[in-house]
């Protein structure tokens, strides 16, 4: 080693240079493996946290609604309201995360925020859980509603599952695509670019709480109340702004960033982005049409109501069951959430 150290800086010994290179490469590989292991461990931890949080919140809410004095709701009511509550909590969390991400990105393409991938990982289990929760809601609604679907309601879980998949096919497909397509695209395919757009897309969930509240009010036959009308107007507004106008805004934001006209943006971005935006926007337009139809029916019915009609407190023609369900289907319930 002394002879090696005595060499001039310009000389290099093949005996010493090769081992040094190998040692450095080995250290880099070990560091990369360690970082990869830690990254995978962090990802699995976040996935596990989401897998515990959303089902746990559902079970806790259901138990509280069934056990608290003064409430003691039935199993069906507790399941349905708890599912709406969890959806609303997830929506508020996603919207808050989206606002934090979008407001922190000055460069809408290159800037990154740690919360982007973290919340995606945390929210993935929600969509898996929600498929189950929606089925439980469907099962109990058929058992207690007493309207025309009850006569043909499936008596076995397998038949009920097939009926549920047929009725809620679009929503189930939406959830499956979120897990199998949107999750890997958002976490891996983007390669850390476009966190701003991901944050803005998170804020689409701002319409969910009003959708869930509307379903609960319909469940308990409160369509005549001022709260239902105000919530309907809020649902219409938030759904239009944060879901229907979402993708046009994203195209506008990119056009402003790239200094190109809005109409040329679809020609500049990749075809994968255009196809993905179209596929995600199509169900939003369908659900928005359902909301508009329900709102039009509600307000038309309010204006056509005769002055001598019975007060809201009077019993309806077909009395509701003890859990608050009407024996007739009253409103079209939008499924988007």
């Amino acid at each position: 080693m002394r002879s090696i150290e005595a060499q001039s800086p310009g000389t290099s010994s093949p005996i010493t240079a090769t081992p040094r290179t190998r040692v450095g490469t080995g250290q880099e590989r070990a560091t990369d493996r360690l970082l990869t292991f830690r990254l995978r461990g962090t990802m699995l931890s976040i996935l596990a946290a989401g897998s515990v949080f959303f089902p746990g919140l559902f079970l806790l809410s259901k138990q509280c609604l069934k056990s608290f004095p003064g409430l003691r709701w039935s199993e069906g009511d507790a399941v349905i309201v708890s599912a709406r509550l969890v959806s609303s909590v997830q929506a508020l969390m996603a919207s808050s995360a989206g606002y934090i991400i979008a407001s922190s990105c000055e460069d809408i393409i290159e800037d990154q925020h740690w919360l982007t991938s973290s919340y995606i990982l945390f929210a993935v289990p929600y969509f898996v859980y929600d498929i189950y929760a929606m089925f439980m809601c469907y099962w109990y609604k058929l058992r207690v509603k007493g309207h025309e679907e009850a006569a043909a309601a499936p008596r076995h879980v397998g038949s009920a599952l097939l009926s549920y998949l047929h009725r809620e096919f679009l929503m189930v497909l939406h959830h499956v695509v979120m897990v199998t397509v949107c999750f890997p695209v958002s976490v891996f395919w983007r390669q850390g670019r476009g966190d701003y757009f991901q944050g803005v897309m998170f804020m689409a969930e701002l319409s969910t709480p009003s959708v869930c509240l509307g379903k609960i009010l319909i469940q308990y036959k409160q369509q005549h109340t001022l709260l239902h009308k105000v919530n309907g107007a809020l649902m219409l507004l938030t759904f239009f702004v944060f879901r229907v106008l979402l993708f046009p805004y994203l195209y506008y934001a990119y056009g402003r960033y790239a200094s190109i006209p809005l109409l040329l943006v679809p020609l500049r971005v990749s075809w994968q982005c255009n196809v993905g935006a179209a596929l995600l926007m199509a169900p939003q337009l369908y659900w928005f049409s359902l909301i508009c139809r329900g709102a039009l029916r509600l307000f038309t019915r309010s204006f056509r109501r005769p002055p001598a009609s019975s007060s809201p407190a009077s019993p309806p023609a077909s009395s509701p069951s003890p859990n608050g369900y009407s024996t007739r289907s009253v409103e079209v319930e939008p499924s988007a959430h």
Side-chain angles (χ1 to χ4, degrees):
M1 291 297 296
R2 290 181 181 178
S3 62
I4 295 174
E5 291 174 356
Q7 291 178 354
S8 63
T11 62
S12 174
S13 170
I15 300 176
T16 57
T18 303
R20 286 180 181 177
T21 303
R22 288 176 180 174
V23 170
T25 303
Q27 290 177 345
E28 290 176 359
R29 290 176 179 174
T31 303
D32 290 342
R33 285 197 297 268
L34 180 61
L35 292 175
T36 302
F37 178 77
R38 290 179 176 177
L39 178 61
R40 290 177 179 174
T42 302
M43 293 175 65
L44 291 175
S45 299
I46 297 174
L47 282 170
S51 301
V52 172
F53 177 78
F54 294 111
L57 180 60
F58 171 78
L59 294 175
L60 177 63
S61 174
K62 185 183 73 169
Q63 190 62 34
C64 290
L65 292 175
K66 292 171 58 179
S67 304
F68 275 8
L71 292 178
R72 300 196 179 279
W73 287 8
S74 67
E75 178 78 12
D77 285 344
V79 165
I80 294 172
V81 174
S82 297
R84 310 298 186 214
L85 174 64
V86 175
S87 294
S88 298
V89 169
Q90 192 280 142
L92 293 175
M93 294 174 65
S95 302
S96 301
Y99 175 78
I100 293 172
I101 295 167
S103 61
S104 67
C105 294
E106 296 181 1
D107 188 312
I108 65 174
I109 300 296
E110 301 298 337
D111 284 358
Q112 299 181 11
H113 196 286
W114 65 269
L115 194 55
T116 307
S117 296
S118 298
Y119 190 78
I120 292 173
L121 290 166
F122 182 75
V124 163
Y126 163 78
F127 292 99
V128 179
Y129 140 83
D130 198 46
I131 294 176
Y132 166 78
M134 288 191 301
F135 170 70
M136 296 302 297
C137 292
Y138 178 75
W139 174 262
Y140 281 110
K141 283 169 71 175
L142 287 184
R143 302 278 73 77
V144 299
K145 241 185 174 182
H147 58 73
E148 58 273 11
E149 290 185 17
R155 301 298 177 184
H156 302 287
V157 175
S159 301
L161 180 60
L162 293 177
S163 177
Y164 157 72
L165 293 176
H166 176 73
R167 181 184 178 93
E168 300 291 345
F169 174 77
L170 184 59
M171 179 56 68
V172 173
L173 178 63
H174 169 270
H175 281 34
V176 171
V177 169
M178 292 297 292
V179 174
T180 60
V181 179
C182 294
F183 163 62
V185 166
S186 299
V187 175
F188 303 109
W189 183 75
R190 290 188 311 115
Q191 297 181 345
R193 306 185 73 198
D195 279 17
Y196 172 84
F197 297 100
Q198 193 68 58
V200 173
M201 293 180 68
F202 283 166
M203 289 192 286
E205 293 291 332
L206 274 173
S207 63
T208 298
S210 57
V211 173
C212 293
L213 178 58
K215 290 183 176 183
I216 294 175
L217 293 174
I218 291 174
Q219 172 185 339
Y220 288 100
K221 200 170 175 55
Q222 299 298 310
Q223 296 93 324
H224 59 274
T225 61
L226 177 61
L227 176 61
H228 182 70
K229 294 179 174 61
V230 172
N231 181 73
L234 181 62
M235 177 173 60
L236 195 68
L237 177 63
T238 55
F239 202 97
F240 178 72
V241 172
F242 293 102
R243 288 185 181 265
V244 176
L245 295 183
L246 172 65
F247 291 100
Y249 170 76
L250 294 179
Y251 276 70
Y252 164 77
Y254 181 80
R256 187 177 58 179
Y257 172 82
S259 301
I260 57 177
L262 175 62
L263 296 179
L264 294 182
V265 173
L267 303 179
R268 297 292 183 90
V269 300
S270 64
W271 66 268
Q272 294 95 330
C273 292
N274 290 324
V275 171
L279 292 178
L280 289 175
M281 188 173 181
Q284 312 304 327
L285 294 175
Y286 170 72
W287 287 323
F288 184 67
S289 69
L290 293 183
I291 294 175
C292 290
R293 187 171 64 181
L296 180 62
R297 181 180 303 176
L298 174 65
F299 287 101
T300 302
R301 186 175 301 168
S302 300
F303 284 116
R304 289 181 179 178
R305 183 176 300 169
S309 61
S310 59
S311 63
S314 61
S318 55
S319 59
S321 59
N323 58 14
Y325 282 114
S326 169
T327 57
R328 296 167 57 188
S329 179
V330 181
E331 296 288 343
V332 175
E333 298 182 17
S335 298
H337 68 284

